[in-house]
Amino acid sequence: MPIHCVCMASPALQRGRISATGNCYVITTVTTGRARLFECPESARKVIDWITSSDDEGRTESLAWAVMPDHLHWMFFLRDASLSNVVRTMKSRSAKAINQQRRTQGAIWQPGYYDQLQRDESQFRAEAMYIMANPVRAGLAMRLEEYPFAWCRWPLSDP
């Protein structure tokens, strides 16, 4: 008989969480069961499409993102929504699109997310480069610019 686990987001993830427009955040969220759903380019693009829509709708202003095989790192300025609303909407919309594309049903994202409020503007670019280096550290690319599911507003190397 299969064992069903209902995983809830840890309340510890919400302790000290601040949500204020104009602030810069880095969020990390993981697929359900760490399933490697985003090895499928079409599924990775569904997440990217939503990030782009969030920016276009004025909810966020993205600085960098990396859609890894089983999780997402996203750095953005919060514009016209709460942090929890932005993440909840990203998860909901992308999950619906991915399920439609795969002709499946069910959870795509694990409950909860990690967030970091970025307070030091001088470190924004360094944090973005750290996000961009995730695929290299994971062995998915040899150089920052090679991974197709990552983007950064700054040049990846100094001229």
XYZ file of all heavy atoms in Angstrom, residues 95-104:
82
model
N 2.402 25.941 -12.820
C 1.947 24.559 -12.622
C 0.810 24.222 -13.580
O 0.800 23.141 -14.186
C 1.505 24.339 -11.179
N -0.119 25.144 -13.731
C -1.238 24.901 -14.649
C -0.724 24.736 -16.079
O -1.126 23.809 -16.792
C -2.242 26.059 -14.574
C -3.450 25.855 -15.450
C -4.450 26.982 -15.294
C -5.641 26.745 -16.209
N -6.618 27.819 -16.108
N 0.178 25.603 -16.500
C 0.728 25.527 -17.856
C 1.536 24.247 -18.071
O 1.436 23.607 -19.117
C 1.589 26.761 -18.138
N 2.321 23.870 -17.071
C 3.135 22.652 -17.186
C 2.237 21.423 -17.225
O 2.445 20.511 -18.034
C 4.165 22.579 -16.041
C 5.226 23.666 -16.219
C 4.808 21.185 -15.965
C 6.086 23.925 -15.004
N 1.234 21.383 -16.361
C 0.308 20.248 -16.380
C -0.433 20.162 -17.714
O -0.632 19.056 -18.241
C -0.674 20.320 -15.209
C -0.091 19.736 -13.942
O 0.652 18.760 -13.972
N -0.441 20.319 -12.812
N -0.844 21.277 -18.274
C -1.505 21.258 -19.580
C -0.553 20.744 -20.654
O -0.924 19.909 -21.473
C -2.018 22.650 -19.953
C -3.254 23.058 -19.199
C -3.695 24.483 -19.531
O -2.934 25.299 -20.032
N -4.954 24.769 -19.231
N 0.658 21.239 -20.639
C 1.660 20.852 -21.638
C 1.993 19.363 -21.523
O 2.102 18.672 -22.529
C 2.909 21.721 -21.448
C 4.109 21.340 -22.289
C 5.225 20.765 -21.429
O 5.531 21.244 -20.348
N 5.824 19.718 -21.915
N 2.069 18.845 -20.307
C 2.419 17.435 -20.084
C 1.194 16.511 -20.091
O 1.345 15.310 -20.016
C 3.138 17.306 -18.733
C 4.458 18.034 -18.681
C 5.075 18.015 -17.285
N 5.462 16.665 -16.949
C 5.294 16.097 -15.752
N 4.736 16.775 -14.773
N 5.665 14.869 -15.530
N -0.002 17.121 -20.121
C -1.262 16.374 -20.016
C -1.296 15.552 -18.722
O -1.578 14.358 -18.721
C -1.470 15.477 -21.240
C -1.681 16.258 -22.510
C -2.004 15.335 -23.671
N -2.309 16.073 -24.862
C -1.437 16.341 -25.836
N -0.206 15.911 -25.741
N -1.812 17.032 -26.888
N -0.963 16.250 -17.627
C -0.957 15.635 -16.303
C -1.769 16.499 -15.352
O -2.233 17.581 -15.712
C 0.481 15.498 -15.755
O 1.084 16.808 -15.701
C 1.329 14.583 -16.624
